Coordinates of all heavy atoms in Angstrom, one line a residue:
H619 N -21.5 1.6 -21.5 CA -21.4 1.1 -20.2 C -19.9 1.1 -19.8 O -19.1 0.8 -20.7 CB -21.9 -0.3 -20.0 CG -23.3 -0.5 -20.4 ND1 -24.3 -0.2 -19.5 CD2 -23.9 -0.9 -21.5 CE1 -25.5 -0.4 -20.1 NE2 -25.3 -0.8 -21.3
P620 N -19.5 1.3 -18.6 CA -18.1 1.2 -18.2 C -17.7 -0.2 -18.4 O -18.4 -1.2 -18.0 CB -18.1 1.6 -16.7 CG -19.4 2.2 -16.4 CD -20.4 1.8 -17.5
A621 N -16.4 -0.4 -18.9 CA -15.9 -1.7 -19.1 C -15.1 -2.2 -17.8 O -14.6 -3.3 -17.7 CB -15.0 -1.8 -20.3
E622 N -15.0 -1.3 -16.9 CA -14.2 -1.5 -15.6 C -15.1 -1.3 -14.4 O -16.1 -0.5 -14.6 CB -13.0 -0.7 -15.5 CG -12.0 -0.8 -16.7 CD -10.9 0.2 -16.6 OE1 -11.0 1.1 -15.8 OE2 -10.1 0.2 -17.5
A623 N -14.8 -1.9 -13.3 CA -15.6 -1.7 -12.1 C -14.7 -1.7 -10.9 O -13.6 -2.3 -10.9 CB -16.7 -2.8 -12.0
L624 N -15.1 -1.0 -9.9 CA -14.4 -0.9 -8.6 C -15.2 -1.7 -7.6 O -16.4 -1.3 -7.3 CB -14.2 0.5 -8.2 CG -13.5 0.7 -6.9 CD1 -12.0 0.2 -7.0 CD2 -13.4 2.2 -6.5
W625 N -14.7 -2.8 -7.1 CA -15.4 -3.5 -6.1 C -15.1 -2.9 -4.7 O -14.0 -2.6 -4.3 CB -14.9 -5.0 -6.1 CG -15.5 -5.8 -5.0 CD1 -16.7 -6.3 -4.9 CD2 -14.8 -6.2 -3.8 NE1 -16.9 -7.0 -3.7 CE2 -15.7 -6.9 -3.0 CE3 -13.5 -5.9 -3.2 CZ2 -15.4 -7.5 -1.8 CZ3 -13.2 -6.5 -2.0 CH2 -14.1 -7.2 -1.3
I626 N -16.2 -2.6 -4.0 CA -16.1 -2.0 -2.7 C -16.7 -3.0 -1.7 O -17.9 -3.4 -1.8 CB -16.9 -0.7 -2.6 CG1 -16.3 0.3 -3.6 CG2 -16.8 -0.1 -1.2 CD1 -17.0 1.6 -3.7
P627 N -15.9 -3.5 -0.8 CA -16.4 -4.5 0.2 C -17.4 -3.9 1.1 O -17.5 -2.8 1.4 CB -15.1 -4.9 0.9 CG -14.2 -3.7 0.9 CD -14.5 -3.0 -0.5
A628 N -18.2 -4.8 1.7 CA -19.2 -4.5 2.7 C -19.0 -5.3 3.9 O -18.8 -6.5 3.8 CB -20.6 -4.7 2.1
S629 N -19.2 -4.7 5.1 CA -19.1 -5.4 6.4 C -18.1 -6.5 6.5 O -16.9 -6.2 6.4 CB -20.5 -5.8 6.8 OG -21.0 -6.8 6.0
E630 N -18.5 -7.7 6.7 CA -17.6 -8.8 6.9 C -16.7 -9.1 5.7 O -15.6 -9.6 5.8 CB -18.3 -10.1 7.3 CG -18.9 -10.1 8.7 CD -20.4 -9.8 8.7 OE1 -21.0 -10.2 7.7 OE2 -20.9 -9.2 9.6
D631 N -17.2 -8.8 4.5 CA -16.4 -9.0 3.3 C -15.1 -8.2 3.4 O -14.1 -8.6 2.9 CB -17.2 -8.6 2.0 CG -18.2 -9.6 1.6 OD1 -18.1 -10.8 2.0 OD2 -19.0 -9.3 0.7
A632 N -15.2 -7.0 3.9 CA -14.0 -6.1 4.0 C -12.9 -6.8 4.8 O -11.7 -6.9 4.4 CB -14.4 -4.8 4.6
V633 N -13.3 -7.3 6.0 CA -12.3 -8.0 6.9 C -11.8 -9.3 6.2 O -10.6 -9.6 6.2 CB -12.9 -8.3 8.2 CG1 -12.0 -9.1 9.1 CG2 -13.3 -7.0 8.9
D634 N -12.7 -10.1 5.6 CA -12.2 -11.3 4.9 C -11.2 -11.0 3.8 O -10.4 -11.9 3.4 CB -13.5 -12.0 4.3 CG -14.4 -12.6 5.4 OD1 -13.9 -12.7 6.6 OD2 -15.5 -12.9 5.1
H635 N -11.3 -9.8 3.2 CA -10.4 -9.5 2.1 C -9.3 -8.5 2.5 O -8.7 -7.8 1.7 CB -11.2 -8.9 0.9 CG -12.0 -9.9 0.2 ND1 -13.3 -10.1 0.6 CD2 -11.7 -10.8 -0.8 CE1 -13.8 -11.1 -0.2 NE2 -12.9 -11.5 -1.0
R636 N -9.0 -8.5 3.8 CA -7.9 -7.8 4.4 C -7.9 -6.3 4.4 O -6.9 -5.7 4.3 CB -6.6 -8.4 3.9 CG -6.4 -9.8 4.1 CD -5.1 -10.3 3.7 NE -5.0 -11.8 3.9 CZ -4.0 -12.5 3.5 NH1 -3.0 -12.0 2.8 NH2 -4.0 -13.8 3.8
F637 N -9.1 -5.8 4.4 CA -9.3 -4.3 4.6 C -9.3 -4.0 6.0 O -9.9 -4.7 6.8 CB -10.6 -3.8 3.9 CG -10.5 -3.7 2.4 CD1 -10.6 -4.7 1.5 CD2 -10.3 -2.4 1.9 CE1 -10.5 -4.5 0.2 CE2 -10.2 -2.2 0.5 CZ -10.3 -3.3 -0.3
V638 N -8.8 -2.8 6.4 CA -9.0 -2.3 7.7 C -10.0 -1.2 7.6 O -9.9 -0.3 6.7 CB -7.6 -1.7 8.3 CG1 -7.8 -1.1 9.6 CG2 -6.6 -2.8 8.3
I639 N -11.0 -1.2 8.5 CA -12.0 -0.2 8.5 C -11.8 0.8 9.6 O -11.7 0.4 10.8 CB -13.4 -0.8 8.6 CG1 -13.6 -1.9 7.5 CG2 -14.5 0.3 8.4 CD1 -14.8 -2.8 7.8
H640 N -11.7 2.1 9.3 CA -11.5 3.1 10.3 C -12.3 4.3 10.0 O -12.1 5.0 9.0 CB -10.0 3.5 10.5 CG -9.8 4.5 11.5 ND1 -9.9 4.2 12.9 CD2 -9.5 5.8 11.4 CE1 -9.6 5.3 13.5 NE2 -9.4 6.3 12.7
G641 N -13.3 4.6 10.8 CA -14.1 5.8 10.6 C -14.8 5.9 9.3 O -15.0 6.9 8.6
G642 N -15.3 4.7 8.8 CA -16.0 4.6 7.5 C -15.1 4.6 6.3 O -15.5 4.5 5.2
V643 N -13.8 4.6 6.5 CA -12.8 4.5 5.4 C -12.2 3.0 5.4 O -11.8 2.5 6.4 CB -11.7 5.5 5.5 CG1 -10.6 5.3 4.4 CG2 -12.2 6.9 5.5
Y644 N -12.2 2.4 4.2 CA -11.7 1.1 4.0 C -10.2 1.2 3.5 O -10.0 1.9 2.5 CB -12.5 0.3 3.0 CG -13.9 0.0 3.5 CD1 -14.8 1.0 3.7 CD2 -14.3 -1.3 3.8 CE1 -16.1 0.7 4.1 CE2 -15.5 -1.6 4.2 CZ -16.5 -0.6 4.4 OH -17.7 -0.9 4.8
V645 N -9.3 0.6 4.2 CA -7.9 0.8 3.8 C -7.3 -0.6 3.6 O -7.5 -1.5 4.4 CB -7.0 1.5 4.8 CG1 -5.6 1.6 4.4 CG2 -7.6 2.9 5.1
A646 N -6.5 -0.8 2.5 CA -5.9 -2.1 2.3 C -4.5 -1.9 1.7 O -4.3 -0.9 1.0 CB -6.7 -3.0 1.3
G647 N -3.5 -2.7 2.0 CA -2.2 -2.7 1.4 C -2.1 -3.5 0.1 O -2.8 -4.5 -0.1

C-alpha cells in the first residue's frame, strides 16, 4: 500500500482550505 497520500479537496472544503478553483483546477499557494 502507498505510505503517502495526496488529499484533494472537494467543493466547500477547497475554499475553506484556501484553494482557488478555476475551470476545474484547484490552485493554492
